[in-house]
Amino acid sequence: MVDAVVDFVKKKKPVHVKFVKFLIFQTNMLGDFHQSMVRRSGEKVEEDKGLFTKIKEVFSPMFLGESSESPSNEEFVMVVEEIEPAVFQLCGETPEDLKEARDKINSFLVREHLTIPIRDPAIAHFTKEDVEILNGMQREFTVSVQLEKKGQDSVVTLEGLTRDVHSAESRIRDMIRKVERNENRRREAFPR
């Protein structure tokens, strides 16, 4: 995948491509992907070195754990806390028993798993401190939190166990109300 991106950058000389995202579902592949990124990041790319460097800068913090200062006009921020996956090993007398057990586990997971998008323009005004609070929520509630700052279309997406998602949602709604109060005070103090 990394080779394909580099080849694309070399051959097509893209002007409008700003971000490239890789979604890796199998956690055991993360190590291989990381090694590929590390291997390719040390290579010289004669043509379009600037774009490859940008791609490297986007990926390196994700996989090497580096922190980078985000620009003030940043449109998109992803807050990710890696949650260790649960592995089930099922044993049974017959394939039908295994299928029944697997189906029960899957139905339980579907029933107890929830994804909620919280859309509010106030999310665009979240500060770095608010982002740190979101990071803390991921650890406290064991939920995945994704923050997208897109002005009026800003959204925080929560994913995890139903009870944890609802607890995190309540706290985020409190954060939104606090931001709205601060914005109203600012507008009253500095009317246009």
Side-chain angles (χ1 to χ4, degrees), residues 100-119:
E100 182 182 345
R102 187 180 68 231
D103 291 346
K104 283 185 180 181
I105 291 170
N106 283 336
S107 71
F108 175 74
L109 291 173
V110 167
R111 191 172 62 244
E112 290 297 318
H113 185 267
L114 184 62
T115 301
I116 295 180
I118 302 171
R119 298 180 190 287

Side-chain angles (χ1 to χ4, degrees), residues 127-160:
T127 63
K128 287 186 180 184
E129 291 79 21
D130 293 324
V131 172
E132 288 303 315
I133 291 170
L134 293 177
N135 275 324
M137 269 190 245
Q138 289 186 123
R139 290 182 289 278
E140 180 182 348
F141 296 115
T142 318
V143 295
S144 169
V145 179
Q146 181 176 329
L147 168 65
E148 295 179 66
K149 288 182 173 181
K150 300 184 209 169
Q152 294 293 325
D153 298 323
S154 295
V155 63
V156 174
T157 304
L158 302 173
E159 185 174 0

Side-chain angles (χ1 to χ4, degrees), residues 3 6 25 124 165 180:
D3 293 343
V6 172
F25 287 102
V165 167
E180 287 171 341

Side-chain angles (χ1 to χ4, degrees), residues 40-145:
R40 290 306 300 253
S41 68
E43 290 181 11
K44 298 265 188 219
V45 179
E46 303 295 322
E47 299 174 309
D48 302 320
K49 182 177 176 185
L51 187 55
F52 182 72
T53 303
K54 288 179 188 175
I55 292 170
K56 178 183 163 191
E57 288 169 0
V58 169
F59 287 121
S60 292
M62 284 192 275
F63 293 103
L64 301 177
E66 300 169 5
S67 63
S68 60
E69 290 296 311
S70 56
S72 58
N73 64 346
E74 186 171 4
E75 292 280 322
F76 177 81
V77 177
M78 182 129 172
V79 182
V80 178
E81 178 76 18
E82 183 156 336
I83 298 171
E84 190 66 31
V87 177
F88 294 89
Q89 288 187 331
L90 304 175
C91 299
E93 292 182 15
T94 66
E96 291 78 23
D97 291 342
L98 291 175
K99 183 181 180 326
E100 182 182 345
R102 187 180 68 231
D103 291 346
K104 283 185 180 181
I105 291 170
N106 283 336
S107 71
F108 175 74
L109 291 173
V110 167
R111 191 172 62 244
E112 290 297 318
H113 185 267
L114 184 62
T115 301
I116 295 180
I118 302 171
R119 298 180 190 287
D120 196 293
I123 293 170
H125 300 287
F126 276 9
T127 63
K128 287 186 180 184
E129 291 79 21
D130 293 324
V131 172
E132 288 303 315
I133 291 170
L134 293 177
N135 275 324
M137 269 190 245
Q138 289 186 123
R139 290 182 289 278
E140 180 182 348
F141 296 115
T142 318
V143 295
S144 169
V145 179

Side-chain angles (χ1 to χ4, degrees), residues 175-190:
M175 291 170 63
I176 289 171
R177 284 191 290 275
K178 179 183 170 192
V179 167
E180 287 171 341
R181 283 192 304 271
N182 290 341
E183 284 298 306
N184 286 338
R185 285 185 195 134
R186 189 181 60 77
R187 276 191 225 106
E188 289 171 3
F190 301 104

